[in-house]
Amino acid sequence: MSFPTIHISCPCSDTPSIARHGSSGSHLAKDHSDLNADDPAEVDDDGQSNFNPYSRRANFSLYPLNRLLFCEDCNQIRCPRCILDEIVSYFCPNCLFEVPNTTVKSEGNRCTRNCYSCPVCLAVLSVTALGDEGTAPYILLCNHCLWSSSDIGIELDKPTSITAQLAEKLKPSASSTGVSTPTGGKIYTVPDTLITPAISGLATSSSSYYPSRTLPPLPEGAELSPGEFFTRLQEFYKLLKSEASDNEDRHPNSSRLMDMLSTTGTSHLRPYNQRMSEKPKPGWAEYGHNQSVNPDDDLNAITAISSSGFSGTTSLRQRLTQPHCPSLLSELVPLAALLRTKRSKRCRTCRHILYKPESKVGSIRCRIRLVAMNYIPTLNITRFDPSAFNYHNLIPLATHQFLLTVTNPLYDPISVHLATPRHTPGKYPSNITIYCPEFEVGANTDVWDEALASASGNPSSGGHRAKPRDKKSAVPGQIWDRGRNWTSVIIEIVPPALPEGVDDKDKIVKVPVFVRSEFDTEVDRDVGEIGKGVKERREYAFWSSIDVGRIGKKDQDGPQRPQSLGGASVGGLGERERRSEGRDRRESERMKRSSVR
Amino acid sequence: MAPKQSRGEYIETDTGNKVSRKSVIMGSQNIILGGKTIIQADCTIRGDLRRPAQPGSQGQVALAVGRFCIFARSTVLRPPGKMHRGVYSHYPMKLGDHVFIGDGAVVEAAIIGSYVHIGKDCVIGKFAIIKDCVKIEDGTVIAPNSVIPPFSLVAGRPGVVVEELPETAPEMLDLKAVYKQI
């Protein structure tokens, strides 16, 4: 975690107090308008209207400014939780070709061109010629870990249409014995005796991909590609359903199960596979009996793993990215690239579009883009004293001065009101003082205006004031400095002394700051009958949480300090030693040694 | 605004490029800088790695860089090369605007778009294509021939897209303000 960081609270969070005001920020603002006037502690006590960055709910409402959008119609910040995503286009992240909607529906969300990633390290695979002067055979080679499709015995004849070739190669070559069509009659009518005991979930899945492996192939359903297998499975359950329809103890959830099956991918079907091939008699009566585990499955897996060794097994990530979840590296297949989407964003409340990208894949342009940083003032906090400073070790009970800079993104000057409780709401409250809670921030005008204004020596009309007094002293009630569209004020923080064994999250100083900005702007054109030049007062208001830093070690061991400093001068070791349990013992030893000298 | 002692460290060109005197730039006649680009100390830029000039054409560009790019200390930029018809030949490398390359990174990409942040100690493999608005975390290794789509946050070895960047990515990755500070 880096300090200092600033997060903005989105009012969509369902914290009751904020949600109630959520529809219009101005109400919220009014509640707090008197807050900064004289006594913030007054509002502090009611507990309802103050934002608590330490609460667990706060995690869900706090976002960095760059994640936030802004709805002009609702006059509200919109966070990723209160926007709706709409897919504009699908594209392959590797070849950057747009994939039409219909193709995505029929072919699935993977690239059907030549884009494959390495099953071992997920880097991109490139088609490499093995023959002299770039001729056949071709392999898919990972340039990062040097895995190649020849490791699993696949070489290609052409450098193009990889998907079709791979599908051909991964299909079993041997034709199965009397597999009926998916649509015809009873599908699995193989006697139990035909099924070899070696069939396991592992063997099934791998033999469907690699018939030439040592594991014996499944006589029936295993010799199908996952896609075909899925169709058959669906047929099987339809059959079951039709048979069960006249059965009395029909499963109440059978239709729901069918719906689930039609949407589930093939990756979860391994248990069904075994169940089906073992049981020739469909029917709900046997449903529960089929889930017994074949002990030979485990035996097979153990032999396979012991022959390949631990290094030949897949990692969890490798296994989960594969549709058939293999345990051995030799069973991995190249992964077709997953498609990505371009999405437009809408406000969840008023359905207005907040962000609409161009549908062209490579382009970063957009037609509509209402981002919060173009509306609400930007906060920035830096250390007042610019010398090197460890934000992870704020000295307790010392006064820390920070410079809070408010930048105005608007073309109108704004007046900013900052408000903060007197103490942070955490378990161990720090004292906070903002030297100047009300001030003006100039408009975000052309840079030239400022240059001309400073050249001619008088402030321009854009809300400029002369530079405030000399920069040497920080006077309460006055701003520190100001520029074209920014103003900085001093915020003073006194962290408390923490008792031993405090939770780490309580050590972080989180300062809730309520920011309200008011400005006059020209009325929109759609209410243009009033005429141009009519000004309208607008305001934006939001809570923000400034994570200033972590409170450091208590300064209590004052008398021991010279000695421990001596220890620290040896190197970083001294610091670590001091923190360790046996600190006192070593300390005394060192003292002894030094006294001997 | 800039501190006085930094004067003399950089050679400034008419278009606002600032090139450190301590950087190693080879084949500078083959390098095009768009302007306002900063090249810090100990950078190595191999403009000499280019395809041998054809008899007809001349003045092959090895490296084209846009505006507001920053190459931090000790970065290495090498145009990518491979065997082609029995000859090892190099291909030009193109960088867009607002490209930041962190300390100690080695870049052999073919194309890098605009608003790209490459972290410290990254390795960008040969012929990689990085599109606009991409952030690459420190220490990432991007495999050769990779393509990184727009609005991606890339991390890991090998680098994979771990997250999408928000809509404000162009502002986040803008380097105009940084240029003014140096």
Side-chain angles (χ1 to χ4, degrees), chain A residues 65-69 83 91-96 121-124 126 143-144 317 340-343 345 355 361-365 369 371-374 447, chain B residues 85 114-115 129 131-133 141-153 156-161 163-172 180:
Chain A
L65 179 62
N66 57 39
R67 289 268 162 191
L68 296 171
L69 299 172
I83 52 170
F91 66 95
C92 168
N94 197 40
C95 57
L96 298 175
C121 71
L122 300 180
V124 67
S126 50
N143 282 310
H144 187 82
R317 189 176 75 160
R340 255 179 81 166
T341 53
K342 276 203 146 186
R343 300 184 304 277
K345 315 246 159 125
Y355 179 74
V361 172
S363 156
I364 57 162
R365 293 217 202 99
R369 187 167 171 277
V371 292
M373 61 165 64
N374 293 343
V447 188
Chain B
R85 296 191 182 163
S114 297
Y115 302 106
I129 296 172
K131 303 298 280 186
D132 300 346
C133 289
V141 176
I142 290 190
N145 304 315
S146 304
V147 180
I148 311 289
F151 291 106
S152 306
L153 176 68
R157 301 182 173 188
V160 285
V161 178
E163 211 176 290
E164 271 185 23
L165 290 185
E167 298 78 21
T168 52
E171 280 91 346
M172 284 159 61
K180 279 178 196 156

Side-chain angles (χ1 to χ4, degrees), chain A residues 246-300:
Chain A
D246 40 55
N247 200 341
E248 274 182 47
D249 54 15
R250 177 180 5 171
H251 200 283
N253 284 339
S254 60
S255 62
R256 222 185 93 213
L257 185 70
M258 284 307 295
D259 289 345
M260 267 165 61
L261 279 172
S262 55
T263 52
T264 320
T266 49
S267 59
H268 310 290
L269 296 176
R270 194 142 52 89
Y272 296 111
N273 176 355
Q274 186 189 348
R275 182 182 310 156
M276 266 168 33
S277 49
E278 276 182 0
K279 284 292 156 185
K281 300 157 281 181
W284 296 116
E286 278 89 20
Y287 195 78
H289 300 290
N290 300 332
Q291 299 184 348
S292 61
V293 177
N294 186 354
D296 291 324
D297 296 358
D298 293 341
L299 273 180
N300 272 302

Side-chain angles (χ1 to χ4, degrees), chain B residues 6-106:
Chain B
S6 73
R7 177 176 279 185
E9 194 193 332
Y10 292 105
I11 306 166
E12 191 164 347
T13 67
D14 293 344
T15 47
N17 298 307
K18 291 178 184 176
V19 181
S20 170
R21 291 178 200 276
K22 289 178 193 152
S23 60
V24 181
I25 294 176
M26 303 167 86
S28 56
Q29 70 274 17
N30 306 324
I31 299 172
I32 295 176
L33 297 182
K36 310 215 173 180
T37 286
I38 296 167
I39 300 172
Q40 293 196 330
D42 303 325
C43 287
T44 308
I45 298 178
R46 296 294 301 270
D48 56 328
L49 300 179
R50 54 158 185 162
R51 225 180 301 195
Q54 255 75 56
S57 66
Q58 61 154 0
Q60 273 261 352
V61 177
L63 175 68
V65 181
R67 308 183 74 211
F68 294 108
C69 292
I70 296 176
F71 306 148
R73 286 170 170 273
S74 317
T75 55
V76 178
L77 274 79
R78 293 164 51 93
K82 66 175 174 188
M83 288 294 288
H84 184 65
R85 296 191 182 163
V87 191
Y88 192 84
S89 54
H90 290 277
Y91 292 80
M93 178 168 161
K94 283 176 193 151
L95 274 69
D97 304 335
H98 300 277
V99 176
F100 178 89
I101 301 179
D103 292 12
V106 178

